[in-house]
């Protein structure tokens, strides 16, 4: 038997071609054009103020359609004398609204059949953004507006304090304070106190899970549902990757992946291509590094809900994850632990999708079906079928 000739090192072009081929095997076919147009992934914490400014400029360039929705901002006093800002979105002309000629969008037979004296269910919506950004402009929270119309519901967005200026527990305590405030003022806000849900994406999903734990442990307001959308709820995600990198930066670590001797070179190439453009375990670790207090070795359960040892007695949950998201396995593990604790759980995985893909491919069938499923599950929880 003749020996196989030794393969020469691949050129940069050959490496790029192999990366693209390997990635194409993992990314959903409908999402490949969006993936290929993604910018190179950068560290948002290098200049967090510039990152926030850029995000707000992007939002301002395309104002949200507020048709059929009213909103009002409130200041909730904190114990230290400062104030937490929340914004309450409600269907136009709905209970507790300032009025307006717009029809109460989405207020169909569900409201009449299940309302409490005309009150609507409520969703406390916690935005994502790695616990450090993601706050919408006043009156412009697109997720809140959509939920307000489509459920329908009163949706309360919370401008919780952001890291790294305000590290844990500032943000989650703000979210819990907003829950208490909403429950105490349910009548004036047009809310049915028996139908309050928590919802959030990414960091917002982590905050939703943590607030559900806090409400259980503190004997707080009743929560009918927790909706965890690609939740960031485990500070251990990416820890192995960071340790393997030996403290090197993400770019160097990713380059080492391509040079490593692995059984399946195409898989390694796909990992390199993905990590250059989307969130990885190392980028998740950056977020936790800036969110947790300096010197904290391991998060507690209210920082990272996956650390909780007892998940019994929590409200029914919906857990949505994406195939190529480094937080997928932690989300699935949390869902399984909730099930094992006797909590009703619905799980959905989006094949071939990365964390936040819908922002770059909103018109794809994959994104629309994902959003419809998430919204539908939240609607079912807030408007249960009465036998």
């Amino acid at each position: 038997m003749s020996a196989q000739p030794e393969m020469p090192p691949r050129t940069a072009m050959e490496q790029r071609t192999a990366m693209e081929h390997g990635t194409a095997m993992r990314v959903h076919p409908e999402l490949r054009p969006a993936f290929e147009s993604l910018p190179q992934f950068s560290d948002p914490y290098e200049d967090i103020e510039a990152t926030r400014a850029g995000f707000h400029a992007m939002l301002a360039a395309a104002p949200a359609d507020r048709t059929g929705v009213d909103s009002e901002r409130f200041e909730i006093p904190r114990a230290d004398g400062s104030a937490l800002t929340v914004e309450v979105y409600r269907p136009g002309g709905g209970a507790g609204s300032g009025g307006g000629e717009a029809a109460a969008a989405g207020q169909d037979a569900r409201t009449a059949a299940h309302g409490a004296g005309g009150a609507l269910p409520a969703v406390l919506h916690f935005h994502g953004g790695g616990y450090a950004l993601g706050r919408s402009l006043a009156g412009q929270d697109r997720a809140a507006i959509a939920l307000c119309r489509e459920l329908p519901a009163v949706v309360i967005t919370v401008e919780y304090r952001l890291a790294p200026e305000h590290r844990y527990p500032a943000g989650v305590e703000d979210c819990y304070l907003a829950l208490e405030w909403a429950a105490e003022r349910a009548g004036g806000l047009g809310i049915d106190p028996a139908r309050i849900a928590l919802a959030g994406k990414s960091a917002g999903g982590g905050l939703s899970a943590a607030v559900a734990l806090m409400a259980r442990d503190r004997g707080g307001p009743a929560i009918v549902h927790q909706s965890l959308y690609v939740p960031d709820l485990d500070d251990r995600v990416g820890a192995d990757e960071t340790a393997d990198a030996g403290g090197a930066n993400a770019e160097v670590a990713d380059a080492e992946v391509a040079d490593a001797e692995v059984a399946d070179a195409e898989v390694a190439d796909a990992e390199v291509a993905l990590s250059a453009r989307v969130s990885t375990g190392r980028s998740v670790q950056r977020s936790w590094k800036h969110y947790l207090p300096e010197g904290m070795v391991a998060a507690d359960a209210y920082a990272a809900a996956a650390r909780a040892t007892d998940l019994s007695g929590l409200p029914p949950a919906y857990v949505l994850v994406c195939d190529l998201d480094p937080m997928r396995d932690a989300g699935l593990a949390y869902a399984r632990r909730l099930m094992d604790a006797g909590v009703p759980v619905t799980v959905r995985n989006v094949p071939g999708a990365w964390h936040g893909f819908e922002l770059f491919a909103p018109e794809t069938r994959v994104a629309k079906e994902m959003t419809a499923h998430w919204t539908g599950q939240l609607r079912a929880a807030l408007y249960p079928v009465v036998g």
Side-chain angles (χ1 to χ4, degrees):
M1 179 182 292
S2 61
Q4 292 293 325
E6 187 173 311
M7 296 299 291
R10 290 180 296 179
T11 65
M13 181 60 71
E14 289 172 335
Q15 288 183 0
R16 178 176 297 177
T17 300
M19 289 178 188
E20 291 174 352
H21 174 65
T23 301
M25 295 173 63
R26 302 190 63 195
V27 175
H28 190 288
E30 191 185 12
L31 302 179
R32 288 174 195 163
F35 175 80
E36 291 167 0
S37 67
L38 288 174
Q40 291 292 301
F41 190 81
S42 59
D43 181 0
Y45 296 97
E46 286 183 350
D47 188 342
I48 192 64
E49 288 300 330
T51 301
R52 291 170 182 161
F55 176 71
H56 288 153
M58 179 183 68
L59 294 179
D65 176 8
R66 288 171 47 92
T67 303
V69 174
D70 298 329
S71 68
E72 185 177 0
R73 293 169 74 81
F74 296 88
E75 300 293 319
I76 305 173
R78 298 189 184 96
D80 65 1
S82 62
L84 166 65
T85 300
V86 298
E87 186 152 10
V88 178
Y89 293 79
R90 54 173 63 86
S97 169
E101 298 180 359
Q107 289 192 31
D108 55 14
R110 290 191 300 272
T111 304
H114 300 286
L120 288 170
V123 178
L124 269 83
H125 179 259
F126 308 132
H127 67 78
Y131 302 99
L133 62 148
R135 185 177 295 164
S136 292
L137 301 175
Q140 293 288 302
D141 192 302
R142 295 173 184 273
I145 292 169
L147 290 175
C148 183
R149 287 197 197 107
E150 295 171 23
L151 293 176
V154 174
V155 182
I156 302 172
T157 61
V158 183
E159 295 189 1
Y160 57 85
R161 286 168 288 181
L162 300 175
E165 299 93 331
H166 303 283
R167 295 173 181 259
Y168 170 79
V172 71
E173 289 291 353
D174 281 351
C175 293
Y176 185 75
L177 177 62
L179 170 64
E180 289 187 314
W181 177 86
E184 289 170 0
R185 291 160 180 77
L189 295 172
I191 291 173
D192 176 0
R195 291 185 292 159
I196 297 178
L198 307 174
K201 173 182 176 182
S202 191
L207 289 166
S208 296
V211 171
L213 287 166
M214 295 170 81
R216 180 200 65 181
D217 297 345
R218 297 178 180 181
I223 299 168
V224 72
H225 183 74
Q226 53 178 322
S227 183
L228 315 181
Y229 187 127
V230 294
D232 186 1
L233 40 68
D234 194 338
D235 63 303
R236 293 163 292 193
V237 170
D240 290 344
E241 294 178 42
T242 302
D244 290 343
N249 62 38
E251 290 73 20
V252 173
D254 291 335
E256 289 174 351
V257 173
D259 295 333
E261 295 181 358
V262 293
D264 188 343
E266 286 187 339
V267 171
D269 289 335
E271 292 296 338
V272 175
L274 284 168
S275 64
R277 298 182 178 184
V278 301
S279 179
T280 66
R282 281 181 288 276
S283 58
V284 174
Q285 279 294 299
R286 287 195 198 104
S287 174
W288 285 101
K289 176 183 176 182
H290 290 85
Y291 177 56
L292 296 177
E294 295 183 27
M296 177 178 276
V297 177
D300 63 31
Y302 299 156
R307 294 277 191 176
T309 57
D310 178 14
L311 300 183
S312 62
L314 290 171
Y318 174 73
V319 180
L320 185 148
V321 298
C322 289
D323 235 0
L324 307 181
D325 188 343
M327 294 181 279
R328 180 198 65 178
D329 291 350
L332 293 175
Y334 193 71
R336 177 58 185 267
R337 291 185 57 219
L338 285 169
M339 295 178 202
D340 291 344
V343 177
V345 183
T346 298
V347 180
R348 184 179 180 90
N349 175 62
V350 185
W354 62 92
H355 191 88
F357 81 95
E358 69 278 11
L359 300 176
F360 301 92
E363 297 304 315
T364 59
R365 184 174 64 181
V366 178
K368 290 180 178 179
E369 287 180 349
M370 178 187 71
T371 302
H373 194 267
W374 170 59
T375 304
Q377 291 296 311
L378 192 50
R379 182 185 299 116
L382 295 173
Y383 291 94
V385 175
V386 178

